[in-house]
Each structure stands twice: as C-alpha cells, then as structure tokens.
Amino acid sequence: LQTENNLLWLDAYNANPSSMEAALRSFARWDHPRKVVMLGDMFELGAVAEEEHQHIINLALELGFNQVFLAGELFHQLTHNHAGIKSFLNSMQLQTYLKEHPILDSAILIKGSRGVMMERVADVL
C-alpha cells in the first residue's frame, strides 16, 4: 500500500515462524534506502513460542533494518529495554507512539498474527 508518507507491506492476517522469516528475508532484499519492520506476536506456538520469537528478533537485527518495532506480550517480554528495538505490549501502544513519532519516506513491513491487530498501525503511517 502506498500512503501519503510511506510504502507499506501489510501482512497482518496470519503469522508463524516460517512465514515471518520468509517475509523478513524477502523484505530485506527490497531496494529501498529506509526499511522499517513492525512485527506482532505469533500465536499458537505452544512450548516453542519463546524460542521462535527470539529467532525472529535475532533475524530482524541480523538483516540490518533501519528500525525494528515489536508489539505483543511475548515480543515485549523478550526485548524490553533492548538496544535497537522498540517494543510495545500491543498494537494500540505502538499506534500511539507512531502518532507522536511519525515515520516518513520509508518502506515498512507490518506482520503479525491476526489477534495482535497490526493493521491498526497502518492508519498512522
């Protein structure tokens, strides 16, 4: 989606470890000078939830995006006060932050499980 300020890749309907990794790797190959990632928790992962979320965090940092934003209780728990990442308990908190700190002239990947409602952030981008 092209907004007035940014180019959005909105994939907020479903997320699992393999789709999240594929989206991050694909987005990393985009030719754009400023790439921002906004990810929401992945649900229904059971006993491997923490491990899989940590893998996605590590991958997002490894791929060298300009900014990484995370929303959801598990992502927030794993990254609270982490240098290089801004994390929020939910997408509403992220949306509020983005209203106060606009992002401009960026390509933005927005992805998360449906229950996190990451599409909310698109309204302020």
Side-chain angles (χ1 to χ4, degrees):
L1 304 170
Q2 180 67 55
T3 70
E4 185 177 327
N5 300 309
N6 299 292
L7 176 61
L8 309 183
W9 178 0
L10 180 59
D11 184 7
Y13 181 73
N14 194 7
N16 59 55
S18 59
S19 71
M20 192 76 84
E21 181 171 343
L24 287 170
R25 291 189 183 282
S26 179
F27 188 63
R29 290 190 296 269
W30 275 23
D31 184 24
H32 195 282
R34 181 157 169 71
K35 291 185 264 190
V36 177
V37 174
M38 298 182 182
L39 306 175
D41 276 353
M42 300 173 284
F43 292 159
E44 301 175 13
L45 297 180
V48 298
E50 187 173 315
E51 174 185 344
E52 293 294 348
H53 280 78
Q54 188 62 57
H55 171 73
I56 295 302
I57 292 164
N58 295 345
L59 181 61
L61 291 171
E62 173 188 316
L63 292 172
F65 299 110
N66 296 89
Q67 288 183 287
V68 176
F69 295 90
L70 302 174
E73 292 180 15
L74 190 49
F75 270 142
H76 186 68
Q77 173 188 329
L78 293 170
T79 59
H80 186 65
N81 294 324
H82 187 289
I85 295 177
K86 291 196 182 339
S87 69
F88 303 86
L89 284 172
N90 56 55
S91 61
M92 291 293 289
Q93 287 182 356
L94 174 55
Q95 183 184 43
T96 299
Y97 175 87
L98 294 170
K99 286 178 185 176
E100 297 169 5
H101 303 88
I103 294 178
L104 305 171
D105 303 320
S106 298
I108 304 171
L109 168 64
I110 303 168
K111 185 162 180 61
S113 283
R114 179 69 203 104
V116 185
M117 297 181 270
M118 290 298 289
E119 71 277 1
R120 291 175 174 169
V121 301
D123 296 338
V124 296
L125 296 171

